[in-house]
Amino acid sequence: MAAAKLVVWDAPVRIVHWSFVALLPALWWTAETRQMDLHFTLGLTMLGLVTFRLAWGVVGSTTARFSRFVAGPKAIARYLKSAPDNANPVVGHNPLGALSVVALLALLTAQVSLGLFAQDTDAVDSGPLNHLVSWDTATAASEAHGIVFNLLAALIVLHVAAIVFYRIVRKNDLVTPMISGRKTFASPVAQPVLASWAKAAGVAAIAVAIAVWISFGVPPWGAKFPWDETAPAEDVPSVDSYM
């Protein structure tokens, strides 16, 4: 049977992946330069993307689902001992790459979650859920927010190094398929089942709704939606002001 060029990564996975790549340095820069309003906006965008990717890992295309690519130590060991990827094709994430995906998503989830409760030293700038926790908890969340980012940066460096290793040593280009979505296999493999755009739109709508709800402070338990807030009373001149 002839080689086949298949769609391995659906558009939602690719869009989220490259959005992560763009957002992380932007989040770092806005924090370093104290552009906190923009930092919070980008952080809530990251929250929506992480929420979408976690949900897509349950209901999305087969190559996006955690149940299809997360493997145990034995599977990882077998993969490391196997032939180069071109002779032993894996459709989607291989067992070793799955560890990187899970670790990155876990750290991103922790990072964005801590940011929701964090505050700066004088509490001028704080996350949308800061009002739900004590001062000490918010301070601890801020410190952990910085620590997790450093861990995330270190893991990203390892991730990039692994991409270079796969390209040079295992002769497997991981970047181009994540751009185009397609990959050519030398031996016959089955086409992954791709989820519909309607499902992606539904999951995206839920992720956006969750991010917006959190941005308002999770009413009714926390802050209110803007349309539920009471307008400030207008100043009424006193009698003495006319005298």
Side-chain angles (χ1 to χ4, degrees):
M1 297 178 64
K5 191 171 186 178
L6 306 177
V7 177
V8 176
W9 303 115
D10 59 30
V13 165
R14 287 180 282 132
I15 291 170
V16 170
H17 175 87
W18 295 112
S19 295
F20 287 163
V21 173
L23 275 176
L24 282 169
L27 283 163
W28 172 81
W29 177 250
T30 52
E32 288 294 309
T33 56
R34 303 299 299 172
Q35 301 179 59
M36 298 312 295
D37 288 343
L38 180 56
H39 184 76
F40 293 149
T41 299
L42 295 177
L44 289 168
T45 303
M46 179 67 81
L47 170 63
L49 289 169
V50 170
T51 302
F52 176 89
R53 184 60 185 91
L54 293 175
W56 201 241
V58 178
V59 302
S61 304
T62 53
T63 49
R65 296 193 181 194
F66 302 123
S67 60
R68 300 298 294 267
F69 65 79
V70 176
K74 291 183 179 180
I76 295 172
R78 286 196 301 270
Y79 172 75
L80 291 173
K81 295 176 182 178
S82 66
D85 292 350
N86 288 336
N88 185 33
V90 177
V91 180
H93 294 298
N94 61 60
L96 188 59
L99 285 180
S100 178
V101 172
V102 171
L104 283 168
L105 285 175
L107 286 176
L108 281 172
T109 301
Q111 177 73 356
V112 73
S113 298
L114 289 166
L116 297 175
F117 299 94
Q119 66 182 22
D120 59 9
T121 53
D122 52 7
V124 172
D125 296 311
S126 57
L129 303 187
N130 172 261
H131 60 279
L132 298 177
V133 299
S134 67
W135 179 282
D136 290 341
T137 300
T139 301
S142 300
E143 294 175 353
H145 190 62
I147 293 172
V148 171
F149 180 81
N150 291 334
L151 293 174
L152 189 57
L155 185 58
I156 290 171
V157 171
L158 289 176
H159 185 69
V160 173
I163 291 173
V164 175
F165 169 82
Y166 273 94
R167 185 69 181 89
I168 297 175
V169 177
R170 297 190 73 108
K171 310 301 180 183
N172 188 351
D173 178 12
L174 301 178
V175 176
T176 302
M178 189 56 71
I179 296 174
S180 66
R182 297 179 178 274
K183 184 174 181 178
T184 300
F185 295 90
S187 57
V189 292
Q191 167 65 57
V193 178
L194 302 178
S196 67
W197 274 105
K199 180 182 285 188
V203 175
I206 294 172
V208 170
I210 291 173
V212 171
W213 178 57
I214 289 176
S215 73
F216 290 135
V218 293
W221 303 285
K224 296 181 178 180
F225 289 114
W227 52 84
D228 292 330
E229 295 178 357
T230 303
E234 296 182 1
D235 293 334
V236 178
S238 64
V239 175
D240 294 337
S241 63
Y242 295 99
M243 299 178 62

